[in-house]
C-alpha cells in the first residue's frame, strides 16, 4: 500500500511534469468528473441513504446537483479565468506588457467532513482541477496521518458539529502546515444566527426556516443555529412552525421518508445532552429514538444567552428562539458572538436588512431565506475570523488555488527615458523620473 509520503511524492512529480497545467487537460478532467457523477448518481444517493437516511430529493439537491452546477460553471468559464489580466501602466512602462498570470500553487490536500461527503470534497476538488493543481482528498479520519507530510496547500472544509473539536482539528492543520509555510483554507462553521424583525410574512418565513433548519436533520454548517425576534413575533411564529412542520413531515415525523437521521450515536447523545441541560421550554418536537438515531424537529423557547444550547454549534434538528426588544439589541447580541459562517435576516423592510448587513460581519449574508446563497457558484463561500479563512466556489476557488504572478515583459525601447534612473543622480532626473512613474503621466499623454 502506498504510504502518505509516497503519495505526496507522486503528486509532486506529476505536477512538476506540467501535465496538469494546459487548459485542455483541466477541461478533460472536469468533464470526466461530471460523467462519473452522472453515471453513478443512483449509487451515490443509495449510499447517502444507507449512511444518513438522506431522502433522495435532498441528496440530489445538496450532493449531486450542486456539484454538477459547479462543474458546468467552471467548464464554461475556465478559458476566461486562465487569461492574463492586463493592468494599468505609467509613461515609463507604456510600451511594456504588464499583466497578472494565474499559476497553480502545486499540490493540495482536501480534507472533508461527513455531513455532505460528496459536495464538500468535490467542490474544492473542482476548484483545484480548474486551477491546474494536483489534489488528494481525505476524510476527517485520515487527516492526522497526512498532516505530517508537506504539500503545497491544505484545504479543510466544514468541520462543524462540535465547535471545540473543529477548532482543535483546524489548529492541528495550521500547525502542521506552518512548518512548511503551507497556505491553508479553513471552513469551520459556527452558530449562524437568524434575526427576524419588523414587518414579516410569518407563514412564508416559517416555511423557509423549517426547510433550511431541518434539511439533513440540521446537520449543515450554514443552517440557522438560533433565532432572534421580539416576543410578539415569537408568539406568532411558533404556531406557524408547528403547522409547517406537520405540512412537511406529517403528524409523525419519525415515519416520514423526508426526515434524515443523526450521523452517529455519539452525535445523537451530544444533542440529547443539550436538550437535557437547556433551561428553555420545548414547545415543538423533542421526541427521540437512540436505536434509530432519530431526533424530531424541535423548537425551544424561553432560554437565555448563557443557555447550554447557546454554548456550541448545535448541528442538529433543534432550534432555540431567543427574544430581543429592538433591532439594535439583536445586532448587539450577534456582535457579542464569534463571526458566523452565515447570517440571516428576515424582514419585509429593506432598511432593516440594510442596517443588519452594514453593522455585522459574517462569511455570507442572506435576507428572507437561508442556505440558498451558498448554492450560487458566482458567490464566494467561506468564513471570517473563527468561522474560517479563505473562500471557494466558482472563480473564487480558482483564485484560492492560484498564485497571481506579476509579469512585466520589456523590450529595449525608450532607453533614453530609462536613463533618468541611472547615476550620476540629480534633482532634475529625480523630478522627471517621479513624473514618468506617476499613474497620472500616462493619462496626460
Amino acid at each position: 500500500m502506498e504510504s502518505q509520503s509516497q503519495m505526496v511524492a507522486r503528486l509532486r512529480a506529476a505536477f512538476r511534469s506540467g501535465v496538469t497545467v494546459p487548459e485542455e487537460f483541466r477541461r478533460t478532467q472536469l468533464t470526466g468528473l461530471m460523467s462519473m457523477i452522472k453515471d453513478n448518481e443512483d449509487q451515490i444517493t443509495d449510499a447517502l441513504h444507507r449512511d444518513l437516511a438522506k431522502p433522495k430529493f435532498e441528496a440530489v439537491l445538496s450532493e449531486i446537483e450542486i456539484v454538477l452546477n459547479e462543474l458546468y460553471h467552471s467548464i464554461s468559464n475556465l478559458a476566461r479565468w486562465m487569461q492574463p489580466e492586463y493592468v494599468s501602466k505609467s509613461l515609463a512602462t507604456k510600451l511594456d506588457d504588464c499583466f497578472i498570470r494565474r499559476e497553480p500553487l502545486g499540490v493540495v490536500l482536501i480534507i472533508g467532513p461527513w455531513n455532505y461527503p460528496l459536495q464538500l470534497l468535490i467542490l474544492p476538488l473542482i476548484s483545484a482541477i480548474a486551477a491546474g493543481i494536483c489534489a488528494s482528498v481525505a476524510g476527517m479520519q485520515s487527516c492526522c496521518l497526512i498532516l505530517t507530510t508537506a504539500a503545497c496547500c491544505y484545504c479543510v472544509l466544514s468541520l462543524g458539529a462540535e465547535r471545540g473539536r473543529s477548532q482543535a482539528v483546524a489548529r492541528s492543520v495550521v500547525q502542521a502546515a506552518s512548518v512548511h509555510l503551507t497556505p491553508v483554507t479553513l471552513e469551520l462553521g459556527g452558530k449562524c444566527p437568524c434575526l427576524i424583525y419588523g414587518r414579516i410574512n410569518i407563514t412564508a418565513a416559517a416555511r423557509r426556516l423549517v426547510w433550511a433548519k431541518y434539511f439533513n436533520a440540521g446537520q449543515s454548517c450554514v443552517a440557522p443555529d438560533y433565532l432572534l425576534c421580539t416576543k410578539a413575533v415569537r408568539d406568532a411564529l411558533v404556531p406557524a412552525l408547528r403547522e409547517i412542520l406537520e405540512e412537511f413531515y406529517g403528524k409523525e415525523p419519525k415515519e416520514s421518508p423526508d426526515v434524515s437521521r443523526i450521523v452517529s450515536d455519539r452525535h445523537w447523545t451530544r444533542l440529547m445532552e443539550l436538550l437535557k441541560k437547556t433551561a428553555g421550554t420545548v414547545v415543538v418536537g423533542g421526541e427521540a429514538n437512540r436505536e434509530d438515531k432519530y431526533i424530531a424537529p424541535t423548537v425551544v423557547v424561553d432560554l437565555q444567552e448563557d443557555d447550554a444550547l447557546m454554548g456550541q454549534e448545535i448541528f442538529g434538528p433543534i432550534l432555540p428562539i431567543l427574544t430581543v426588544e429592538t433591532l439594535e439589541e439583536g445586532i448587539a447580541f450577534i456582535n457579542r458572538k464569534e463571526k458566523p459562517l452565515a447570517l440571516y435576516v428576515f424582514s419585509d423592510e429593506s432598511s432593516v436588512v440594510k442596517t443588519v448587513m452594514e453593522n455585522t460581519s459574517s462569511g455570507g449574508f442572506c435576507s428572507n431565506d437561508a442556505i440558498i446563497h451558498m448554492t450560487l457558484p458566482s458567490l464566494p463561500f467561506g468564513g471570517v475570523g473563527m468561522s474560517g479563512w479563505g473562500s471557494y466556489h466558482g472563480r473564487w476557488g480558482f483564485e484560492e488555488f492560484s498564485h497571481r504572478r506579476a509579469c512585466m515583459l520589456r523590450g529595449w525601447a525608450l532607453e533614453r527615458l530609462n536613463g533618468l534612473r541611472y547615476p550620476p543622480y540629480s534633482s532634475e532626473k529625480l523630478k522627471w523620473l517621479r513624473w514618468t512613474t506617476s499613474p497620472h503621466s500616462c493619462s496626460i499623454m
Side-chain angles (χ1 to χ4, degrees):
M1 182 177 177
E2 187 179 43
S3 68
Q4 304 296 343
S5 58
Q6 288 173 329
M7 178 185 66
V8 172
R10 175 173 56 79
L11 291 171
R12 282 185 172 152
F15 176 74
R16 288 168 182 159
S17 73
V19 68
T20 65
V21 176
E23 179 188 340
E24 186 56 35
F25 177 86
R26 306 184 198 191
R27 190 177 298 278
T28 299
Q29 295 299 305
L30 292 172
T31 303
L33 183 56
M34 181 184 292
S35 297
M36 181 193 75
I37 293 170
K38 287 182 175 180
D39 292 345
N40 293 279
E41 179 174 320
D42 289 341
Q43 292 94 317
I44 292 169
T45 55
D46 287 347
L48 290 167
H49 183 73
R50 287 195 303 272
D51 289 349
L52 292 169
K54 275 195 181 187
K56 183 173 182 178
F57 186 96
E58 290 190 3
V60 170
L61 195 64
S62 64
E63 303 276 16
I64 303 293
E65 202 60 28
I66 192 171
V67 170
L68 293 178
N69 287 342
E70 182 86 5
L71 282 163
Y72 282 121
H73 182 77
S74 296
I75 292 170
S76 299
N77 291 282
L78 183 60
R80 181 170 58 86
W81 294 345
M82 292 178 65
Q83 289 299 308
E85 178 186 347
Y86 288 89
V87 298
S88 59
K89 298 181 285 188
S90 65
L91 178 60
T93 57
K94 180 72 173 176
L95 300 181
D96 302 327
D97 285 333
C98 303
F99 56 90
I100 301 167
R101 172 183 165 88
R102 268 75 176 180
E103 297 181 347
L105 285 174
V107 174
V108 60
L109 169 64
I110 300 168
I111 304 172
W114 49 261
N115 57 327
Y116 293 98
L118 189 74
Q119 177 201 144
L120 294 175
L121 281 175
I122 301 300
L123 290 189
L125 178 62
I126 293 168
S127 297
I129 293 172
I133 274 180
C134 272
S136 175
V137 298
M140 283 288 292
Q141 302 302 320
S142 307
C143 68
C144 292
L145 297 174
I146 302 174
L147 291 177
T148 57
T149 65
C152 292
C153 185
Y154 286 97
C155 186
V156 183
L157 304 170
S158 187
L159 304 181
E162 293 166 271
R163 186 69 173 164
R165 185 168 179 263
S166 69
Q167 290 181 358
V169 172
R171 289 189 178 96
S172 296
V173 172
V174 172
Q175 288 170 2
S178 67
V179 176
H180 310 287
L181 299 181
T182 296
V184 178
T185 300
L186 300 172
E187 189 260 277
L188 300 175
K191 293 183 75 65
C192 299
C194 178
L195 176 59
I196 305 176
Y197 196 83
R199 296 190 309 274
I200 186 72
N201 183 327
I202 288 290
T203 302
R207 185 170 283 110
R208 294 184 185 188
L209 280 169
V210 166
W211 179 82
K213 174 61 183 179
Y214 302 110
F215 191 96
N216 197 31
Q219 298 168 116
S220 304
C221 56
V222 290
D225 189 271
Y226 62 95
L227 300 187
L228 294 171
C229 61
T230 64
K231 290 180 180 178
V233 169
R234 180 200 63 189
D235 292 344
L237 182 63
V238 169
L241 291 173
R242 186 181 291 111
E243 180 181 331
I244 298 302
L245 279 167
E246 184 173 330
E247 175 187 322
F248 283 7
Y249 306 121
K251 292 184 179 296
E252 297 292 337
K254 186 175 183 294
E255 306 304 320
S256 171
D258 299 329
V259 174
S260 297
R261 297 304 191 256
I262 306 305
V263 67
S264 67
D265 184 70
R266 181 169 66 86
H267 283 290
W268 185 92
T269 301
R270 178 184 65 83
L271 290 166
M272 293 308 297
E273 284 297 317
L274 290 177
L275 274 180
K276 288 179 183 177
K277 292 177 181 177
T278 182
T281 303
V282 175
V283 292
V284 178
E287 301 84 10
N289 183 293
R290 176 187 289 274
E291 184 178 350
D292 195 28
K293 296 192 287 292
Y294 167 77
I295 298 177
T298 299
V299 178
V300 182
V301 300
D302 299 330
L303 64 158
Q304 302 300 315
E305 186 174 349
D306 60 354
D307 192 87
L309 286 171
M310 297 302 294
Q312 61 177 259
E313 183 177 2
I314 294 173
F315 222 71
I318 303 168
L319 181 63
I321 303 179
L322 297 92
T323 58
V324 293
E325 294 307 313
T326 66
L327 181 60
E328 292 73 22
E329 186 183 344
I331 291 172
F333 187 105
I334 292 168
N335 287 337
R336 285 195 296 271
K337 310 299 180 183
E338 295 170 355
K339 295 178 181 180
L341 185 60
L343 192 158
Y344 307 113
V345 57
F346 281 51
S347 179
D348 291 342
E349 302 173 35
S350 59
S351 60
V352 170
V353 174
K354 183 178 179 181
T355 298
V356 176
M357 184 171 62
E358 292 181 348
N359 291 278
T360 57
S361 178
S362 60
F365 181 90
C366 183
S367 67
N368 297 320
D369 215 331
I371 295 183
I372 295 297
H373 67 288
M374 69 160 293
T375 65
L376 192 61
S378 52
L379 283 175
F381 177 63
V384 57
M386 296 302 285
S387 60
W389 302 350
S391 58
Y392 68 111
H393 284 193
R395 175 68 184 259
W396 307 97
F398 176 86
E399 294 285 354
E400 191 76 9
F401 292 126
S402 298
H403 166 60
R404 289 173 287 280
R405 188 179 186 183
C407 299
M408 179 183 287
L409 307 183
R410 309 206 76 186
W412 300 102
L414 298 181
E415 183 59 19
R416 186 172 182 180
L417 184 60
N418 289 327
L420 293 173
R421 61 186 168 139
Y422 301 146
Y425 300 139
S426 70
S427 57
E428 187 69 13
K429 280 186 175 182
L430 182 59
K431 181 183 73 173
W432 281 103
L433 188 60
R434 292 181 71 173
W435 183 76
T436 61
T437 57
S438 164
H440 303 297
S441 63
C442 212
S443 60
I444 292 174
M445 296 298 290

